Amino acid sequence: MLPAAAQKSDKWTGIGFEADYYHSNMMRHSKKITAPLAQNTTTFDLNFVRKYYGKKDWEIRRHYPEVGLGIIYLNYNNPNLYGQVFGIFPNIRLRLLTLDRFSWTARVGMGICYVTKPYERVPKPNLENETIGGYANNISPLQTDLKWKINEHWEIQGGAHLIHVSNASFRKPNFGINIWGLQAGVRYFPISNTPARIRREVPKLSNRIVVYAKGSIAFIEKYVPDGGLNRVYNAGIFATKRYLGKNKAILGMDYTYNTAAYAFMKFNERHAGEENKYAYQASVFIGNEFTFSRVGIVLQGGVYLKTLDQQTDKFYQKLGANYYIWQKERGILKEIVLSALLKTHQNNAELFELGLSVGF
C-alpha cells in the first residue's frame, strides 16, 4: 500500500482490546518448595492494544508490531495459602506467521502486581507460603496464540502460556510461583483491526559498536524473613554491536558487591578481616537486545569468574527492559539508557536491579 493510504485511516484504527481466560497449574520448579501446588488456577486478562502501521521507521523494521497494556487477575484457587493476584503490565506482541485470516503470535510482558496472601508471621500467620514473601511483586506473562480474524472488528485466539510471579528477593522467602496452561480469548476493534500499512524503504542503520559504562543498585532481604533490606551494587563495562538495524549483540563484564553477604560474614565471624574479599562477584556475560524505538527487551547470560562466600551457582541469567533517554547516531555521547533487569539463577530470582548506562 502507498503511504497516502494510511493518511485516510481513522486515528483509532488498529486500537482495540482483548479479553483472555487462562486455565493453569502451578509448577514445582524447585525441590525446596514443599507446600501444595496450586491447581486449576483461574486468570482473567484485559489488554488494551494498539497495532502499529509504519508511521515511524522502527515500526517497519519490526514488521508492524502490536503493543498493549494489560490488567490481570489471578486466582490460585487456594485463598488461605497463595491468595489472589491483581496486576498491570505493558506488553508487546510479534507476529511469527501469517496465513490469510490465521496468524501465529507471541506476546511478552512484565509489570507489577499485588499478592493478597504472601508469607507472613504477624498479625495473620501464613508460614506455609514459602514462594512469595511480600505483597508487591513482579508479574511476567508469556504466551503464544493462534488467531483467527473473523471480520474487520472481531478476532478469536487460543494458545499456551507461562506466568511468573515473584519479588526478586526484595522480601523473603521468594521461590516465586510459575503457572502454565492454556488460554482462549476474543479481540474487538471498534473501528478496524486492519490499519493501512505504510510500505516504504527505511534508511539502513550501520552495524555500529557502542561501548558503555554502567552502574546499578538492587535491594534484597537476603537471609531472614521480615529482616532488613540489603543493598547490592553493580558496576560494569559492555559493548554492543547492532545488526539488522533493530537488534544488538552484547558482550560485557560485571562487578557486584553484596552488602548482605558482608553482613552475614561479620555476624558469623567468617573470614574475619577479609569480609570484603568474599562479598563481591565478578562475571562475564553475553546477550541480545531487541530494540523498539526507545525501548529494548534484554536477554543476558553470564558465568561467574569470582563468587560470593558459600555460593554454589556458576551461571546466571538476566531478563528485562531498557529505556533510551538519549539516542544519537553520531557524536561522542551516543546513548544514555535506564535499565530494569531481573537476575535469576535458573528458576530462582536473586534480585531486581535498576541501572544507568552511558554509551560512547
Side-chain angles (χ1 to χ4, degrees):
M1 297 182 182
L2 297 176
Q7 305 303 317
K8 297 179 181 179
S9 297
D10 187 285
K11 65 179 181 179
W12 296 103
T13 299
I15 294 178
F17 60 88
E18 64 182 345
D20 285 292
Y21 168 79
Y22 303 72
H23 181 81
S24 322
N25 291 316
M26 180 177 167
M27 302 168 57
R28 195 183 302 276
H29 59 272
S30 171
K31 295 180 180 179
K32 296 179 180 179
I33 298 176
T34 59
L37 297 183
Q39 301 292 320
N40 300 318
T41 68
T42 298
T43 304
F44 294 99
D45 169 359
L46 179 63
N47 192 34
F48 298 91
V49 301
R50 176 188 178 187
K51 293 185 176 183
Y52 286 106
Y53 58 87
K55 182 178 180 180
K56 296 181 179 180
D57 291 350
W58 75 269
E59 300 171 17
I60 298 176
R61 291 192 182 100
R62 281 292 171 195
H63 304 291
Y64 314 98
E66 176 184 305
V67 299
L69 182 65
I71 300 173
I72 192 167
Y73 165 75
L74 197 165
N75 187 334
Y76 287 117
N77 196 28
N78 195 331
N80 296 322
L81 177 58
Y82 298 114
Q84 303 168 67
V85 177
F86 300 86
I88 184 170
F89 63 99
N91 55 83
I92 188 164
R93 174 178 272 117
L94 301 177
R95 291 179 296 110
L96 304 178
L97 181 66
T98 300
L99 296 172
D100 194 22
R101 290 179 177 269
F102 288 91
S103 62
W104 176 31
T105 66
R107 190 185 77 168
V108 57
M110 178 179 288
I112 57 174
C113 68
Y114 176 83
V115 176
T116 62
K117 289 289 289 185
Y119 174 92
E120 190 173 26
R121 292 189 293 179
V122 292
K124 297 180 180 180
N126 184 24
L127 304 182
E128 196 176 6
N129 185 1
E130 58 206 347
T131 57
I132 300 294
Y135 291 99
N137 289 267
N138 158 264
I139 186 166
S140 299
L142 309 174
Q143 72 182 66
T144 182
D145 288 288
L146 292 176
K147 270 202 286 290
W148 180 43
K149 177 182 174 182
I150 300 174
N151 55 39
E152 194 175 6
H153 301 286
W154 292 94
E155 301 173 2
I156 58 174
Q157 63 187 24
H161 64 268
L162 172 69
I163 301 176
H164 172 76
V165 174
S166 75
N167 63 55
S169 293
F170 187 78
R171 290 296 182 192
K172 287 288 188 177
N174 182 60
F175 291 122
I177 296 180
N178 294 331
I179 62 172
W180 68 278
L182 302 176
Q183 79 277 349
V186 61
R187 291 156 56 91
Y188 176 69
F189 295 81
I191 305 301
S192 173
N193 57 14
T194 313
R197 292 176 179 170
I198 298 174
R199 303 185 186 278
R200 56 182 170 82
E201 291 292 327
V202 296
K204 291 186 177 180
L205 299 177
S206 65
N207 295 329
R208 70 180 187 182
I209 296 176
V210 179
V211 178
Y212 303 79
K214 73 163 187 172
S216 64
I217 189 171
F219 298 89
I220 62 173
E221 189 180 73
K222 183 64 175 176
Y223 296 106
V224 182
D226 296 331
L229 290 178
N230 299 274
R231 297 177 300 278
V232 178
Y233 301 101
N234 177 272
I237 185 170
F238 65 97
T240 66
K241 180 176 175 59
R242 186 164 56 197
Y243 64 97
L244 300 179
K246 56 187 178 181
N247 302 322
K248 294 179 180 180
I250 307 170
L251 175 65
M253 298 183 64
D254 265 345
Y255 173 90
T256 303
Y257 183 75
N258 192 313
T259 64
Y262 175 85
F264 178 83
M265 285 183 284
K266 290 289 285 187
F267 181 81
N268 291 279
E269 298 183 348
R270 291 179 58 82
H271 308 293
E274 295 185 310
E275 293 89 355
N276 285 320
K277 178 180 177 181
Y278 294 92
Y280 81 88
Q281 298 163 310
S283 64
V284 294
F285 63 89
I286 60 173
N288 196 81
E289 180 180 0
F290 305 90
T291 59
F292 302 83
S293 186
R294 291 187 176 271
V295 177
I297 298 175
V298 182
L299 302 172
Q300 290 182 9
V303 57
Y304 291 107
L305 305 177
K306 166 70 172 61
T307 57
L308 298 173
D309 176 53
Q310 302 185 85
Q311 178 183 335
T312 58
D313 297 299
K314 300 298 183 182
F315 307 95
Y316 67 89
Q317 306 81 39
K318 289 185 180 181
L319 167 67
N322 287 336
Y323 180 76
Y324 290 83
I325 58 177
W326 176 272
Q327 286 180 312
K328 293 291 182 181
E329 282 298 308
R330 301 183 182 277
I332 297 177
L333 180 59
K334 293 183 173 61
E335 295 177 342
I336 301 177
V337 191
L338 297 175
S339 61
L341 299 175
L342 176 66
K343 181 183 179 183
T344 68
H345 295 113
Q346 295 182 350
N347 293 317
N348 297 319
E350 179 190 5
L351 54 83
F352 186 77
E353 65 181 49
L354 300 175
L356 176 70
S357 301
V358 181
F360 302 93

